[in-house]
Amino acid sequence: MNSTSPAQDSSQDIAVLAVKAAKTAGALIQNGAEDISSLNIEQKSLHDYVSEIDRNSEAAIYDLVAQAFPEHAFIGEEFGSVGDRQAQVTWIVDPLDGTTNFLRGIPHYAVSIAVAVGKQIQHAVIFDPAKNDLFTASLGAGAFLNGKAIQVSDCLGVRGGLLATGVPFSGQLLENLDCFTATMQGMLAHHTSGIRRLGSAALDLAYVAAGRYDGYWEASLKPWDIAAGVLMVQEAGGRVADFVGGEDYLQSGNIVAASPRLMDDMIKITSACYKGTSE
């Protein structure tokens, strides 16, 4: 006899589909990586590019979701919102996080899929097709890398910690360049083990969850950049906040993620440097 309820079955089905969708998109991305010079590439804004692979990846994910769960809403980086905005379940998708890396032949990019029920993210998948790294998490069930449980590091503070960030590069982001510079100086003043900037917010968060990084911060991101990574870090035992220690990160796009004992140190620095930009 099946002891699971229909709701549980649906949740399990969603988690399985999220993995299938990420791997399907990842296969498209890797096929495109074999001959990048043949791709159609457009510039959305200064230094912000999109390729046919981004769009094909998102379309493939959407098609799978629409076929299995036509009642679900869908928010993607390339095509925006699709479906009923009042739907109980929403998929939040970045079909290729790290497009610049991908177009330059740098094998560090990912498919990011989060599934929210109401306002609560319930499932997350971040798939790095170049390395075949599959990060998964479900609310209350932990976080995993290729099926093995992961957890954040036990780093005690910024001193000695290995951190990651994203560097402002165009448009509105440049308005916060002074804030970013001050934050970077604040972090470095605490004698970190180093600060990495590898170009994929989704993988930065996944790496915090896996203990590869001790902490991460970045400004002006979009929900599809970070939604999956937020749940990943939390399920791995980490903390997530905006720059002033609140919970407005999905709205503001300003995020700090870290091991629990490191978080307070990072928030002291970001809150002092950004002076309320997360409010």
Side-chain angles (χ1 to χ4, degrees):
M1 177 180 294
N2 187 349
S3 61
T4 61
S5 69
Q8 289 173 320
D9 288 340
S10 178
S11 180
Q12 292 169 3
D13 292 343
I14 290 170
V16 169
L17 181 64
V19 170
K20 178 181 178 180
K23 288 188 173 182
T24 298
L28 289 172
I29 292 168
Q30 287 309 99
N31 285 338
E34 294 178 2
D35 189 8
I36 294 173
S37 63
S38 69
L39 299 179
N40 293 320
I41 301 168
E42 300 174 19
Q43 183 168 315
K44 293 192 289 187
S45 60
L46 182 62
H47 308 310
D48 188 9
Y49 298 92
V50 60
S51 75
E52 62 187 283
I53 294 297
D54 298 71
R55 292 180 173 135
N56 291 346
S57 173
E58 185 166 315
I61 296 169
Y62 173 76
D63 288 345
L64 287 169
V65 173
Q67 181 178 5
F69 300 104
E71 72 279 13
H72 291 185
F74 188 96
I75 301 173
E77 179 178 10
E78 304 307 331
F79 300 123
S81 299
V82 181
D84 184 358
R85 293 190 178 185
Q86 303 303 314
Q88 183 182 12
V89 180
T90 303
W91 294 65
I92 306 168
V93 174
D94 191 336
L96 177 50
D97 185 56
T99 298
T100 298
N101 283 347
F102 170 76
L103 295 177
R104 297 279 183 145
I106 301 170
H108 191 78
Y109 40 79
V111 181
S112 178
I113 299 175
V115 185
V117 178
K119 295 183 178 181
Q120 176 65 61
I121 302 169
Q122 296 277 349
H123 302 287
V125 177
I126 297 172
F127 180 50
D128 178 345
K131 306 177 191 68
N132 202 32
D133 276 348
L134 178 69
F135 298 87
T136 59
S138 290
L139 186 65
F144 300 85
L145 169 56
N146 298 327
K148 295 183 178 180
I150 55 176
Q151 61 182 22
V152 297
S153 76
D154 59 357
C155 185
L156 299 179
V158 172
R159 184 181 182 88
L162 181 62
L163 309 180
T165 190
V167 179
F169 63 90
S170 67
Q172 181 181 356
L173 297 178
L174 290 179
E175 297 175 7
N176 290 327
L177 187 57
D178 289 344
C179 295
F180 170 79
T181 302
T183 307
M184 180 72 79
Q185 290 175 338
M187 299 292 181
L188 289 172
H190 284 71
H191 304 288
T192 71
S193 290
I195 298 175
R196 301 288 184 263
R197 199 293 189 200
L198 297 185
S200 169
L203 286 176
D204 286 338
L205 287 163
Y207 280 20
V208 171
R212 295 176 176 179
Y213 295 147
D214 299 304
Y216 160 75
W217 85 97
E218 190 166 352
S220 302
L221 295 167
K222 300 297 184 181
W224 48 75
D225 294 318
I226 60 177
V230 164
L231 182 63
M232 203 78 61
V233 171
Q234 292 171 335
E235 286 298 316
R239 292 172 57 191
V240 181
D242 60 30
F243 286 163
V244 294
E247 298 181 354
D248 194 44
Y249 39 83
L250 287 177
Q251 289 72 39
S252 68
N254 300 335
I255 189 169
V256 182
S259 58
R261 289 183 284 186
L262 172 59
M263 191 67 163
D264 290 341
D265 277 1
M266 293 188 70
I267 292 296
K268 286 178 183 178
I269 296 169
T270 56
S271 61
C273 294
Y274 279 81
K275 297 185 172 80
T277 59
S278 290
E279 298 178 350

